[in-house]
Amino acid sequence: MQSLGLHKLAQVSSVTVTNKQPKQRRPAAKPKDAAPQRSYSLRNRGKPAAGAPHQAEPSQEPDPTVQPPAAARHFDDSSVISYMCQQVPEPSRQASAADHKTTTGFSEMAGWLTDSKLARAYSMDASDMLLAAGGKNGHASVFGIQQALAGEEGGTGPLLSAKLHKSWIADVQLLPADGLSLHAAALPTLLTASNDGSVRLWDLSKGCEGMPLELAQTDDLHTGGIWSMQCRAGKIATASKDCSLVVSGLCPEGTIVALSVHPQQHAGAVKCTRWSSDHVLATCGNDMCIKVMDTRNSNGSQQTIEAAHDGCVNCVRWHPSSEHLLVSSGTDPCLHLWDLRHSQQPLFTFQGHTPMSRCAQMYQAEFVPHGSAVACSGPKSMQLSLYCTSSGRSDSSSSTLYCSQLRLLLLASTCLWCSETGLMC
């Protein structure tokens, strides 16, 4: 699993990319007279004033496996719900022709999100006001992003920072209030999946000693660690090291149960799974294959793309508006755009991520809103590449890319997230 550093914000702009190295914005040590980092936590209430005797912090993070039962603990309103009650999200609107403009590069924004406890992040997801990230040592963080979207300077600390799993977190997903039936509040719930083989659902509106309230959990879907997870229409797809794909559902009593099990989905670890619709999903794995299946088919038939890459296929993403197009990346320095109606060879192969001499592979790719371009990053590179999906142009330093509503980027190393309000990596 590649590592991911959460460190800077950038905004897509209509300026030309140059070869200048980005300036180092953050000092190595915080000056003594610097303003305190922003924090939105109800836990700050009642802390001693400056100069009062210091009380030692706990040496270890709370471990969900040794917590007493939820019924035996008192959960208060969390700092996440406090933050959301103070914010007014920007109203969403439909894209118009005026939104489409030529994009030729990125400009750095003034703010960033930071959590010293999140050493590496392997997955991110965002809503209108929140961004969740999970990764190394089972740690997850939830940030408020309204200040960053508004262009405010400085680092923004997490609203929630906790160890939610025994091992590294493979995927996080913020679910809307109606995403799963157990939670009726207006606050999104957080769904997490981990290399420890478990899937957990968390209530972000309630907290106890830094831990969110656990609504549901299961650790018996797979016999190996989970590499990938995504929920759609109340169905959770998980891909595992044990070569299997499992589609699960959430029962009203708070249990996650398997609806269908595909024990040999790939001849090797299944690295990624993503839904295209409520019934169609794609998987990829170490056998260099991409498979597309309709969960309504009882005979288990699937469309398979053999030898999709010259190595393991680590990532698949669906085009946001075309059910026939998906992009894949793996352990070779290429992205492939596939048209499933003619899958004998890729529609386009995107290359050219710089510096190419050091780029052995491409990390997770994401379509920008409306699918006009694909963004990705690569190892040993501080740069992002954009590839035009209509022309196949892949020279990120000079291509003219037609993107719409592409507003915000969170620069990191391995993963990208995209929504109507922006693209985050």
Side-chain angles (χ1 to χ4, degrees), residues 104-117:
T104 57
F106 308 96
S107 61
E108 187 177 351
M109 294 179 68
W112 61 86
L113 310 179
T114 178
D115 183 1
S116 60
K117 294 182 179 180

Side-chain angles (χ1 to χ4, degrees), residues 133-207:
K136 187 177 180 181
N137 297 328
H139 201 90
S141 304
V142 177
F143 300 88
I145 58 175
Q146 288 293 297
Q147 283 72 27
L149 288 168
E152 293 188 13
E153 295 186 2
T156 299
L159 304 170
L160 181 147
S161 178
K163 182 180 176 64
L164 302 184
H165 288 268
K166 296 178 183 178
S167 185
W168 49 266
I169 295 175
D171 257 321
V172 296
Q173 186 174 355
L174 288 165
L175 300 178
D178 58 352
L180 290 174
S181 59
L182 285 185
H183 197 269
L187 186 75
T189 50
L190 178 65
L191 188 66
T192 59
S194 167
N195 183 55
D196 63 15
S198 69
V199 177
R200 297 170 183 260
L201 180 66
W202 307 90
D203 181 353
L204 296 181
S205 68
K206 299 294 181 180

Side-chain angles (χ1 to χ4, degrees), residues 193-257:
S194 167
N195 183 55
D196 63 15
S198 69
V199 177
R200 297 170 183 260
L201 180 66
W202 307 90
D203 181 353
L204 296 181
S205 68
K206 299 294 181 180
C208 177
E209 298 179 353
M211 287 291 296
L213 174 64
E214 185 179 271
L215 297 175
Q217 71 89 26
T218 181
D219 56 5
D220 57 2
L221 299 176
H222 299 274
T223 59
I226 296 175
W227 271 102
S228 179
M229 175 275 299
Q230 189 185 37
C231 179
R232 181 177 176 126
K235 294 186 294 186
I236 307 168
T238 50
S240 173
K241 293 179 177 180
D242 63 7
C243 311
S244 71
L245 168 75
V246 176
V247 178
S248 307
L250 184 67
C251 296
E253 62 270 21
T255 57
I256 300 173
V257 296

Side-chain angles (χ1 to χ4, degrees), residues 2 290 308-310 312-317 326-338 345-353 356 359-368 373-379 384-389 392-394 396 414 416:
Q2 300 102 346
I290 297 172
H309 284 264
D310 294 334
C312 303
V313 188
N314 295 330
C315 173
V316 288
R317 294 291 188 269
L326 61 81
V327 69
S328 63
S329 63
T331 54
D332 56 2
C334 303
L335 299 180
H336 293 316
L337 180 65
W338 301 93
Q345 60 183 12
L347 180 63
F348 290 119
T349 294
F350 303 130
Q351 294 178 312
H353 184 70
M356 194 62 189
C359 184
Q361 68 181 91
M362 306 292 266
Y363 286 158
Q364 296 180 19
E366 284 289 353
F367 287 97
V368 304
V374 175
C376 76
S377 61
L384 291 172
S385 290
L386 283 171
Y387 304 94
C388 183
T389 56
R393 293 283 300 275
S394 58
S396 60
T414 64
L416 300 160

Side-chain angles (χ1 to χ4, degrees), residues 392-403:
R393 293 283 300 275
S394 58
D395 183 359
S396 60
S397 62
S398 61
S399 295
T400 298
L401 302 170
Y402 296 90
C403 307

